[in-house]
Amino acid sequence: MSGPLPRVLVVDDHDIVRLGVRHALAGRAETVDAADLVEARQKLAAEPFALLLLDLALADGFSLKALPQLRALQPGLRIVVLTSMEEDLYAERALRAGADGFVMKAAPRATLLEAVDTVLAGGVFVSAGLNARLLRRAVQGEPAAARDPLSTREIEVLRLVAAGHSTREIAERLNRSVKTIESHKAALKAKLGADSPAMLVRLALGWLGDSA
């Protein structure tokens, strides 16, 4: 690669992940680390980057909702979500929120490099399987409600249910009233077919797996 290396901000709350990405991109990009959303915002406000590699589950928040604000700090910034969260559940949401690519952490190094190259060149990167599903949906005209049954807020509540938090704890973490969280949980029970709180927890674990 000729000329200066693109500057990449790697946002992840695990040191070993940031180290692994740095090694994966060695010779192809100049990487800078941030451990949370606060640090990411500070660095984006202070210096230019070509690309943001962003985990969704950070210690200080669920970064899907922060995507538009992060992009607004640098309008020309390209963004790739690099996460352990399930592609089927989160990739399309991330793209709609402003991401240019989505890569699972379990993917091989070659996939990450392809995603970085594709997005820096102005393209959009998703897995071949997701790309085929998105094309099929576009051709078949599948309604949004059919492909996206849960709202972003409901996903947040579901994650916290799966993590074992009580209704009051979820309300405090999301800065919402207990009544509001109870309404979200009732909607989740209806959408997921849960007839008890215990079943909602089991379904939440099934939906979110190890990423909850």
Side-chain angles (χ1 to χ4, degrees), residues 82-124:
L82 179 63
T83 186
S84 60
M85 291 186 167
E86 286 299 323
E87 178 185 76
D88 286 349
L89 190 56
Y90 290 98
E92 195 172 350
R93 295 174 184 277
L95 295 176
R96 289 202 303 271
D100 303 293
F102 190 98
V103 178
M104 296 284 293
K105 287 181 179 178
R109 175 176 180 267
T111 299
L112 175 60
L113 297 182
E114 182 183 359
V116 168
D117 290 345
T118 299
V119 169
L120 285 177
V124 173

Side-chain angles (χ1 to χ4, degrees), residues 39-204:
E39 189 176 3
R41 291 187 182 99
Q42 291 172 343
K43 292 189 174 180
L44 287 171
E47 51 187 324
F49 291 92
L51 177 69
L52 172 65
L53 285 175
L54 179 68
D55 190 14
L56 289 182
L58 297 169
D60 61 346
F62 184 46
S63 62
L64 184 63
K65 294 201 324 178
L67 266 168
Q69 290 77 27
L70 295 173
R71 181 179 289 284
L73 290 170
Q74 291 190 25
L77 184 70
R78 307 291 287 171
I79 301 175
V80 172
V81 168
L82 179 63
T83 186
S84 60
M85 291 186 167
E86 286 299 323
E87 178 185 76
D88 286 349
L89 190 56
Y90 290 98
E92 195 172 350
R93 295 174 184 277
L95 295 176
R96 289 202 303 271
D100 303 293
F102 190 98
V103 178
M104 296 284 293
K105 287 181 179 178
R109 175 176 180 267
T111 299
L112 175 60
L113 297 182
E114 182 183 359
V116 168
D117 290 345
T118 299
V119 169
L120 285 177
V124 173
F125 183 89
V126 294
S127 72
L130 178 60
N131 187 55
R133 290 195 295 275
L134 293 176
L135 287 173
R136 185 166 58 250
R137 288 170 181 170
V139 170
Q140 295 175 348
E142 182 179 331
R147 66 175 183 264
D148 193 15
L150 304 185
S151 69
T152 299
R153 178 66 71 188
E154 287 169 345
I155 291 268
E156 287 184 282
V157 172
L158 197 64
R159 288 182 63 244
L160 294 171
V161 167
H165 294 287
S166 69
T167 299
R168 184 168 298 279
E169 289 170 339
I170 295 172
E172 291 173 354
R173 290 173 71 97
L174 298 182
N175 194 28
R176 294 292 186 273
S177 70
V178 168
K179 185 176 180 179
T180 296
I181 300 306
E182 288 175 343
S183 296
H184 284 311
K185 291 175 76 172
L188 285 166
K189 287 179 183 177
K191 290 182 177 182
L192 300 180
D195 58 10
S196 69
M199 182 175 287
L200 180 60
V201 172
R202 289 196 297 273
L203 290 172

